[in-house]
PDB file of all heavy atoms in Angstrom:
ATOM      1  N   PHE A  89     -26.944   1.763 -19.159  1.00 96.00           N
ATOM      2  CA  PHE A  89     -26.993   0.578 -20.012  1.00 96.00           C
ATOM      3  C   PHE A  89     -27.823  -0.514 -19.361  1.00 96.00           C
ATOM      4  O   PHE A  89     -28.691  -1.131 -19.998  1.00 96.00           O
ATOM      5  CB  PHE A  89     -25.578   0.057 -20.288  1.00 96.00           C
ATOM      6  CG  PHE A  89     -25.549  -1.269 -21.006  1.00 96.00           C
ATOM      7  CD1 PHE A  89     -25.678  -1.325 -22.392  1.00 96.00           C
ATOM      8  CD2 PHE A  89     -25.426  -2.456 -20.296  1.00 96.00           C
ATOM      9  CE1 PHE A  89     -25.676  -2.548 -23.054  1.00 96.00           C
ATOM     10  CE2 PHE A  89     -25.417  -3.687 -20.957  1.00 96.00           C
ATOM     11  CZ  PHE A  89     -25.543  -3.729 -22.333  1.00 96.00           C
ATOM     12  N   LEU A 108     -30.260  -4.388 -27.316  1.00 95.00           N
ATOM     13  CA  LEU A 108     -28.841  -4.079 -27.144  1.00 95.00           C
ATOM     14  C   LEU A 108     -28.473  -2.708 -27.713  1.00 95.00           C
ATOM     15  O   LEU A 108     -27.768  -1.927 -27.071  1.00 95.00           O
ATOM     16  CB  LEU A 108     -27.991  -5.170 -27.802  1.00 95.00           C
ATOM     17  CG  LEU A 108     -26.472  -4.981 -27.749  1.00 95.00           C
ATOM     18  CD1 LEU A 108     -25.992  -4.902 -26.302  1.00 95.00           C
ATOM     19  CD2 LEU A 108     -25.769  -6.112 -28.488  1.00 95.00           C
ATOM     20  N   VAL A 109     -28.956  -2.408 -28.921  1.00 95.00           N
ATOM     21  CA  VAL A 109     -28.566  -1.156 -29.585  1.00 95.00           C
ATOM     22  C   VAL A 109     -29.008   0.074 -28.806  1.00 95.00           C
ATOM     23  O   VAL A 109     -28.188   0.957 -28.517  1.00 95.00           O
ATOM     24  CB  VAL A 109     -29.098  -1.117 -31.033  1.00 95.00           C
ATOM     25  CG1 VAL A 109     -28.835   0.265 -31.643  1.00 95.00           C
ATOM     26  CG2 VAL A 109     -28.433  -2.204 -31.869  1.00 95.00           C
ATOM     27  N   ALA A 111     -29.681   0.383 -25.695  1.00 96.00           N
ATOM     28  CA  ALA A 111     -28.969   0.411 -24.408  1.00 96.00           C
ATOM     29  C   ALA A 111     -27.551   0.933 -24.599  1.00 96.00           C
ATOM     30  O   ALA A 111     -27.058   1.743 -23.805  1.00 96.00           O
ATOM     31  CB  ALA A 111     -28.954  -0.984 -23.785  1.00 96.00           C
ATOM     32  N   LEU A 112     -26.894   0.478 -25.654  1.00 96.00           N
ATOM     33  CA  LEU A 112     -25.534   0.930 -25.930  1.00 96.00           C
ATOM     34  C   LEU A 112     -25.520   2.398 -26.357  1.00 96.00           C
ATOM     35  O   LEU A 112     -24.617   3.152 -25.975  1.00 96.00           O
ATOM     36  CB  LEU A 112     -24.894   0.063 -27.011  1.00 96.00           C
ATOM     37  CG  LEU A 112     -24.537  -1.371 -26.605  1.00 96.00           C
ATOM     38  CD1 LEU A 112     -24.036  -2.154 -27.802  1.00 96.00           C
ATOM     39  CD2 LEU A 112     -23.489  -1.371 -25.495  1.00 96.00           C
ATOM     40  N   VAL A 113     -26.487   2.799 -27.139  1.00 96.00           N
ATOM     41  CA  VAL A 113     -26.573   4.202 -27.575  1.00 96.00           C
ATOM     42  C   VAL A 113     -26.728   5.127 -26.366  1.00 96.00           C
ATOM     43  O   VAL A 113     -26.077   6.177 -26.269  1.00 96.00           O
ATOM     44  CB  VAL A 113     -27.746   4.399 -28.551  1.00 96.00           C
ATOM     45  CG1 VAL A 113     -28.020   5.893 -28.772  1.00 96.00           C
ATOM     46  CG2 VAL A 113     -27.448   3.730 -29.881  1.00 96.00           C
ATOM     47  N   ALA A 114     -27.573   4.725 -25.421  1.00 96.00           N
ATOM     48  CA  ALA A 114     -27.782   5.535 -24.215  1.00 96.00           C
ATOM     49  C   ALA A 114     -26.498   5.622 -23.399  1.00 96.00           C
ATOM     50  O   ALA A 114     -26.121   6.696 -22.905  1.00 96.00           O
ATOM     51  CB  ALA A 114     -28.912   4.945 -23.376  1.00 96.00           C
ATOM     52  N   SER A 115     -25.810   4.502 -23.265  1.00 95.00           N
ATOM     53  CA  SER A 115     -24.575   4.462 -22.471  1.00 95.00           C
ATOM     54  C   SER A 115     -23.478   5.293 -23.120  1.00 95.00           C
ATOM     55  O   SER A 115     -22.839   6.128 -22.463  1.00 95.00           O
ATOM     56  CB  SER A 115     -24.115   3.004 -22.312  1.00 95.00           C
ATOM     57  OG  SER A 115     -22.896   2.929 -21.631  1.00 95.00           O
ATOM     58  N   VAL A 116     -23.258   5.085 -24.409  1.00 95.00           N
ATOM     59  CA  VAL A 116     -22.216   5.827 -25.119  1.00 95.00           C
ATOM     60  C   VAL A 116     -22.565   7.312 -25.181  1.00 95.00           C
ATOM     61  O   VAL A 116     -21.691   8.177 -25.007  1.00 95.00           O
ATOM     62  CB  VAL A 116     -22.025   5.258 -26.537  1.00 95.00           C
ATOM     63  CG1 VAL A 116     -21.108   6.164 -27.356  1.00 95.00           C
ATOM     64  CG2 VAL A 116     -21.457   3.846 -26.476  1.00 95.00           C
ATOM     65  N   GLY A 117     -23.823   7.617 -25.411  1.00 95.00           N
ATOM     66  CA  GLY A 117     -24.244   9.018 -25.479  1.00 95.00           C
ATOM     67  C   GLY A 117     -23.955   9.754 -24.185  1.00 95.00           C
ATOM     68  O   GLY A 117     -23.486  10.904 -24.195  1.00 95.00           O
ATOM     69  N   ALA A 119     -21.627   8.956 -21.975  1.00 91.00           N
ATOM     70  CA  ALA A 119     -20.175   9.097 -21.861  1.00 91.00           C
ATOM     71  C   ALA A 119     -19.672  10.250 -22.726  1.00 91.00           C
ATOM     72  O   ALA A 119     -18.757  10.988 -22.330  1.00 91.00           O
ATOM     73  CB  ALA A 119     -19.489   7.788 -22.272  1.00 91.00           C
ATOM     74  N   GLY A 139     -12.594   7.075 -19.952  1.00 76.00           N
ATOM     75  CA  GLY A 139     -13.865   6.384 -19.756  1.00 76.00           C
ATOM     76  C   GLY A 139     -14.636   6.232 -21.055  1.00 76.00           C
ATOM     77  O   GLY A 139     -15.240   5.184 -21.316  1.00 76.00           O
ATOM     78  N   LEU A 140     -14.597   7.282 -21.878  1.00 85.00           N
ATOM     79  CA  LEU A 140     -15.296   7.233 -23.160  1.00 85.00           C
ATOM     80  C   LEU A 140     -14.696   6.162 -24.072  1.00 85.00           C
ATOM     81  O   LEU A 140     -15.431   5.409 -24.721  1.00 85.00           O
ATOM     82  CB  LEU A 140     -15.222   8.601 -23.842  1.00 85.00           C
ATOM     83  CG  LEU A 140     -15.828   8.699 -25.253  1.00 85.00           C
ATOM     84  CD1 LEU A 140     -17.313   8.355 -25.216  1.00 85.00           C
ATOM     85  CD2 LEU A 140     -15.603  10.089 -25.842  1.00 85.00           C
ATOM     86  N   ILE A 141     -13.370   6.087 -24.094  1.00 90.00           N
ATOM     87  CA  ILE A 141     -12.710   5.061 -24.916  1.00 90.00           C
ATOM     88  C   ILE A 141     -13.119   3.670 -24.449  1.00 90.00           C
ATOM     89  O   ILE A 141     -13.406   2.786 -25.261  1.00 90.00           O
ATOM     90  CB  ILE A 141     -11.184   5.232 -24.852  1.00 90.00           C
ATOM     91  CG1 ILE A 141     -10.769   6.526 -25.568  1.00 90.00           C
ATOM     92  CG2 ILE A 141     -10.478   4.037 -25.495  1.00 90.00           C
ATOM     93  CD1 ILE A 141      -9.305   6.863 -25.418  1.00 90.00           C
ATOM     94  N   GLY A 142     -13.167   3.488 -23.121  1.00 88.00           N
ATOM     95  CA  GLY A 142     -13.576   2.196 -22.587  1.00 88.00           C
ATOM     96  C   GLY A 142     -15.012   1.854 -22.958  1.00 88.00           C
ATOM     97  O   GLY A 142     -15.309   0.722 -23.348  1.00 88.00           O
ATOM     98  N   VAL A 143     -15.895   2.842 -22.835  1.00 91.00           N
ATOM     99  CA  VAL A 143     -17.307   2.621 -23.173  1.00 91.00           C
ATOM    100  C   VAL A 143     -17.463   2.304 -24.656  1.00 91.00           C
ATOM    101  O   VAL A 143     -18.211   1.398 -25.051  1.00 91.00           O
ATOM    102  CB  VAL A 143     -18.153   3.852 -22.785  1.00 91.00           C
ATOM    103  CG1 VAL A 143     -19.576   3.728 -23.351  1.00 91.00           C
ATOM    104  CG2 VAL A 143     -18.212   3.997 -21.267  1.00 91.00           C
ATOM    105  N   LEU A 144     -16.744   3.056 -25.505  1.00 94.00           N
ATOM    106  CA  LEU A 144     -16.824   2.837 -26.954  1.00 94.00           C
ATOM    107  C   LEU A 144     -16.295   1.453 -27.335  1.00 94.00           C
ATOM    108  O   LEU A 144     -16.918   0.743 -28.152  1.00 94.00           O
ATOM    109  CB  LEU A 144     -16.025   3.914 -27.691  1.00 94.00           C
ATOM    110  CG  LEU A 144     -16.649   5.312 -27.735  1.00 94.00           C
ATOM    111  CD1 LEU A 144     -15.654   6.312 -28.312  1.00 94.00           C
ATOM    112  CD2 LEU A 144     -17.935   5.297 -28.559  1.00 94.00           C
ATOM    113  N   ALA A 145     -15.161   1.079 -26.752  1.00 95.00           N
ATOM    114  CA  ALA A 145     -14.585  -0.233 -27.070  1.00 95.00           C
ATOM    115  C   ALA A 145     -15.510  -1.358 -26.621  1.00 95.00           C
ATOM    116  O   ALA A 145     -15.711  -2.346 -27.349  1.00 95.00           O
ATOM    117  CB  ALA A 145     -13.218  -0.369 -26.403  1.00 95.00           C
ATOM    118  N   SER A 146     -16.081  -1.225 -25.439  1.00 95.00           N
ATOM    119  CA  SER A 146     -16.993  -2.250 -24.928  1.00 95.00           C
ATOM    120  C   SER A 146     -18.249  -2.333 -25.798  1.00 95.00           C
ATOM    121  O   SER A 146     -18.731  -3.430 -26.110  1.00 95.00           O
ATOM    122  CB  SER A 146     -17.380  -1.939 -23.479  1.00 95.00           C
ATOM    123  OG  SER A 146     -16.248  -1.990 -22.634  1.00 95.00           O
ATOM    124  N   ALA A 147     -18.765  -1.154 -26.179  1.00 95.00           N
ATOM    125  CA  ALA A 147     -19.963  -1.128 -27.025  1.00 95.00           C
ATOM    126  C   ALA A 147     -19.677  -1.753 -28.385  1.00 95.00           C
ATOM    127  O   ALA A 147     -20.502  -2.515 -28.923  1.00 95.00           O
ATOM    128  CB  ALA A 147     -20.448   0.309 -27.191  1.00 95.00           C
ATOM    129  N   ALA A 148     -18.510  -1.456 -28.945  1.00 96.00           N
ATOM    130  CA  ALA A 148     -18.142  -2.017 -30.252  1.00 96.00           C
ATOM    131  C   ALA A 148     -18.061  -3.538 -30.181  1.00 96.00           C
ATOM    132  O   ALA A 148     -18.528  -4.249 -31.091  1.00 96.00           O
ATOM    133  CB  ALA A 148     -16.810  -1.442 -30.715  1.00 96.00           C
ATOM    134  N   LEU A 149     -17.493  -4.051 -29.111  1.00 96.00           N
ATOM    135  CA  LEU A 149     -17.372  -5.498 -28.944  1.00 96.00           C
ATOM    136  C   LEU A 149     -18.741  -6.145 -28.808  1.00 96.00           C
ATOM    137  O   LEU A 149     -19.012  -7.200 -29.406  1.00 96.00           O
ATOM    138  CB  LEU A 149     -16.514  -5.807 -27.709  1.00 96.00           C
ATOM    139  CG  LEU A 149     -16.230  -7.284 -27.425  1.00 96.00           C
ATOM    140  CD1 LEU A 149     -15.510  -7.939 -28.598  1.00 96.00           C
ATOM    141  CD2 LEU A 149     -15.403  -7.430 -26.145  1.00 96.00           C
ATOM    142  N   ALA A 150     -19.631  -5.508 -28.031  1.00 96.00           N
ATOM    143  CA  ALA A 150     -20.977  -6.056 -27.846  1.00 96.00           C
ATOM    144  C   ALA A 150     -21.766  -6.017 -29.152  1.00 96.00           C
ATOM    145  O   ALA A 150     -22.499  -6.973 -29.479  1.00 96.00           O
ATOM    146  CB  ALA A 150     -21.712  -5.277 -26.757  1.00 96.00           C
ATOM    147  N   LEU A 151     -21.614  -4.933 -29.919  1.00 94.00           N
ATOM    148  CA  LEU A 151     -22.310  -4.844 -31.202  1.00 94.00           C
ATOM    149  C   LEU A 151     -21.781  -5.870 -32.192  1.00 94.00           C
ATOM    150  O   LEU A 151     -22.540  -6.480 -32.954  1.00 94.00           O
ATOM    151  CB  LEU A 151     -22.145  -3.432 -31.786  1.00 94.00           C
ATOM    152  CG  LEU A 151     -23.010  -2.334 -31.174  1.00 94.00           C
ATOM    153  CD1 LEU A 151     -22.621  -0.983 -31.762  1.00 94.00           C
ATOM    154  CD2 LEU A 151     -24.493  -2.620 -31.411  1.00 94.00           C
ATOM    155  N   TRP A 152     -20.474  -6.076 -32.175  1.00 96.00           N
ATOM    156  CA  TRP A 152     -19.860  -7.039 -33.095  1.00 96.00           C
ATOM    157  C   TRP A 152     -20.341  -8.454 -32.816  1.00 96.00           C
ATOM    158  O   TRP A 152     -20.615  -9.228 -33.738  1.00 96.00           O
ATOM    159  CB  TRP A 152     -18.344  -6.954 -32.971  1.00 96.00           C
ATOM    160  CG  TRP A 152     -17.608  -7.938 -33.836  1.00 96.00           C
ATOM    161  CD1 TRP A 152     -17.445  -7.888 -35.183  1.00 96.00           C
ATOM    162  CD2 TRP A 152     -16.966  -9.138 -33.383  1.00 96.00           C
ATOM    163  NE1 TRP A 152     -16.729  -8.981 -35.625  1.00 96.00           N
ATOM    164  CE2 TRP A 152     -16.419  -9.770 -34.537  1.00 96.00           C
ATOM    165  CE3 TRP A 152     -16.791  -9.733 -32.138  1.00 96.00           C
ATOM    166  CZ2 TRP A 152     -15.720 -10.966 -34.466  1.00 96.00           C
ATOM    167  CZ3 TRP A 152     -16.087 -10.934 -32.065  1.00 96.00           C
ATOM    168  CH2 TRP A 152     -15.563 -11.533 -33.223  1.00 96.00           C
ATOM    169  N   SER A 153     -20.456  -8.787 -31.533  1.00 94.00           N
ATOM    170  CA  SER A 153     -20.874 -10.153 -31.172  1.00 94.00           C
ATOM    171  C   SER A 153     -22.392 -10.293 -31.087  1.00 94.00           C
ATOM    172  O   SER A 153     -22.913 -11.404 -31.161  1.00 94.00           O
ATOM    173  CB  SER A 153     -20.264 -10.544 -29.817  1.00 94.00           C
ATOM    174  OG  SER A 153     -20.813  -9.761 -28.770  1.00 94.00           O
ATOM    175  N   GLY A 154     -23.079  -9.157 -30.914  1.00 94.00           N
ATOM    176  CA  GLY A 154     -24.527  -9.211 -30.752  1.00 94.00           C
ATOM    177  C   GLY A 154     -24.947  -9.734 -29.393  1.00 94.00           C
ATOM    178  O   GLY A 154     -26.097 -10.117 -29.194  1.00 94.00           O
ATOM    179  N   ASP A 155     -24.021  -9.721 -28.432  1.00 95.00           N
ATOM    180  CA  ASP A 155     -24.271 -10.287 -27.104  1.00 95.00           C
ATOM    181  C   ASP A 155     -24.039  -9.197 -26.057  1.00 95.00           C
ATOM    182  O   ASP A 155     -22.938  -8.645 -25.966  1.00 95.00           O
ATOM    183  CB  ASP A 155     -23.328 -11.463 -26.851  1.00 95.00           C
ATOM    184  CG  ASP A 155     -23.708 -12.272 -25.620  1.00 95.00           C
ATOM    185  OD1 ASP A 155     -24.372 -11.719 -24.727  1.00 95.00           O
ATOM    186  OD2 ASP A 155     -23.334 -13.464 -25.558  1.00 95.00           O
ATOM    187  N   ALA A 156     -25.059  -8.883 -25.269  1.00 95.00           N
ATOM    188  CA  ALA A 156     -24.953  -7.825 -24.266  1.00 95.00           C
ATOM    189  C   ALA A 156     -23.879  -8.122 -23.222  1.00 95.00           C
ATOM    190  O   ALA A 156     -23.287  -7.202 -22.652  1.00 95.00           O
ATOM    191  CB  ALA A 156     -26.302  -7.624 -23.574  1.00 95.00           C
ATOM    192  N   ARG A 157     -23.623  -9.390 -22.970  1.00 95.00           N
ATOM    193  CA  ARG A 157     -22.599  -9.756 -21.987  1.00 95.00           C
ATOM    194  C   ARG A 157     -21.234  -9.198 -22.362  1.00 95.00           C
ATOM    195  O   ARG A 157     -20.417  -8.877 -21.495  1.00 95.00           O
ATOM    196  CB  ARG A 157     -22.477 -11.273 -21.854  1.00 95.00           C
ATOM    197  CG  ARG A 157     -23.686 -12.002 -21.333  1.00 95.00           C
ATOM    198  CD  ARG A 157     -23.400 -13.492 -21.293  1.00 95.00           C
ATOM    199  NE  ARG A 157     -23.010 -14.005 -22.608  1.00 95.00           N
ATOM    200  CZ  ARG A 157     -22.465 -15.200 -22.813  1.00 95.00           C
ATOM    201  NH1 ARG A 157     -22.230 -16.003 -21.787  1.00 95.00           N
ATOM    202  NH2 ARG A 157     -22.153 -15.594 -24.039  1.00 95.00           N
ATOM    203  N   ASP A 158     -20.988  -9.085 -23.645  1.00 96.00           N
ATOM    204  CA  ASP A 158     -19.660  -8.668 -24.102  1.00 96.00           C
ATOM    205  C   ASP A 158     -19.389  -7.190 -23.844  1.00 96.00           C
ATOM    206  O   ASP A 158     -18.260  -6.719 -24.042  1.00 96.00           O
ATOM    207  CB  ASP A 158     -19.489  -8.994 -25.585  1.00 96.00           C
ATOM    208  CG  ASP A 158     -19.385 -10.500 -25.814  1.00 96.00           C
ATOM    209  OD1 ASP A 158     -18.989 -11.208 -24.870  1.00 96.00           O
ATOM    210  OD2 ASP A 158     -19.693 -10.956 -26.930  1.00 96.00           O
ATOM    211  N   ASN A 159     -20.411  -6.465 -23.390  1.00 96.00           N
ATOM    212  CA  ASN A 159     -20.186  -5.083 -22.978  1.00 96.00           C
ATOM    213  C   ASN A 159     -19.304  -5.027 -21.722  1.00 96.00           C
ATOM    214  O   ASN A 159     -18.779  -3.971 -21.385  1.00 96.00           O
ATOM    215  CB  ASN A 159     -21.528  -4.395 -22.702  1.00 96.00           C
ATOM    216  CG  ASN A 159     -21.391  -2.899 -22.525  1.00 96.00           C
ATOM    217  OD1 ASN A 159     -20.715  -2.225 -23.294  1.00 96.00           O
ATOM    218  ND2 ASN A 159     -22.044  -2.366 -21.502  1.00 96.00           N
ATOM    219  N   TYR A 160     -19.136  -6.171 -21.076  1.00 96.00           N
ATOM    220  CA  TYR A 160     -18.356  -6.223 -19.831  1.00 96.00           C
ATOM    221  C   TYR A 160     -17.038  -6.984 -19.976  1.00 96.00           C
ATOM    222  O   TYR A 160     -16.281  -7.080 -19.013  1.00 96.00           O
ATOM    223  CB  TYR A 160     -19.199  -6.884 -18.733  1.00 96.00           C
ATOM    224  CG  TYR A 160     -20.495  -6.159 -18.447  1.00 96.00           C
ATOM    225  CD1 TYR A 160     -21.703  -6.617 -18.962  1.00 96.00           C
ATOM    226  CD2 TYR A 160     -20.505  -5.000 -17.679  1.00 96.00           C
ATOM    227  CE1 TYR A 160     -22.893  -5.950 -18.711  1.00 96.00           C
ATOM    228  CE2 TYR A 160     -21.686  -4.321 -17.427  1.00 96.00           C
ATOM    229  CZ  TYR A 160     -22.877  -4.806 -17.939  1.00 96.00           C
ATOM    230  OH  TYR A 160     -24.040  -4.123 -17.697  1.00 96.00           O
ATOM    231  N   VAL A 161     -16.772  -7.505 -21.150  1.00 96.00           N
ATOM    232  CA  VAL A 161     -15.596  -8.354 -21.326  1.00 96.00           C
ATOM    233  C   VAL A 161     -14.282  -7.603 -21.100  1.00 96.00           C
ATOM    234  O   VAL A 161     -13.353  -8.133 -20.465  1.00 96.00           O
ATOM    235  CB  VAL A 161     -15.603  -9.002 -22.724  1.00 96.00           C
ATOM    236  CG1 VAL A 161     -14.246  -9.567 -23.078  1.00 96.00           C
ATOM    237  CG2 VAL A 161     -16.656 -10.102 -22.778  1.00 96.00           C
ATOM    238  N   ILE A 162     -14.174  -6.383 -21.601  1.00 95.00           N
ATOM    239  CA  ILE A 162     -12.929  -5.636 -21.457  1.00 95.00           C
ATOM    240  C   ILE A 162     -12.579  -5.449 -19.986  1.00 95.00           C
ATOM    241  O   ILE A 162     -11.403  -5.476 -19.600  1.00 95.00           O
ATOM    242  CB  ILE A 162     -13.028  -4.287 -22.185  1.00 95.00           C
ATOM    243  CG1 ILE A 162     -13.067  -4.517 -23.705  1.00 95.00           C
ATOM    244  CG2 ILE A 162     -11.856  -3.374 -21.818  1.00 95.00           C
ATOM    245  CD1 ILE A 162     -13.211  -3.263 -24.528  1.00 95.00           C
TER     246      ILE A 162
END
Side-chain angles (χ1 to χ4, degrees):
F89 172 83
L108 178 59
V109 173
L112 289 175
V113 168
S115 176
V116 171
L140 176 60
I141 292 173
V143 170
L144 286 172
S146 296
L149 183 59
L151 283 174
W152 178 74
S153 67
D155 191 336
R157 296 179 303 167
D158 290 336
N159 191 46
Y160 301 101
V161 164
I162 291 178

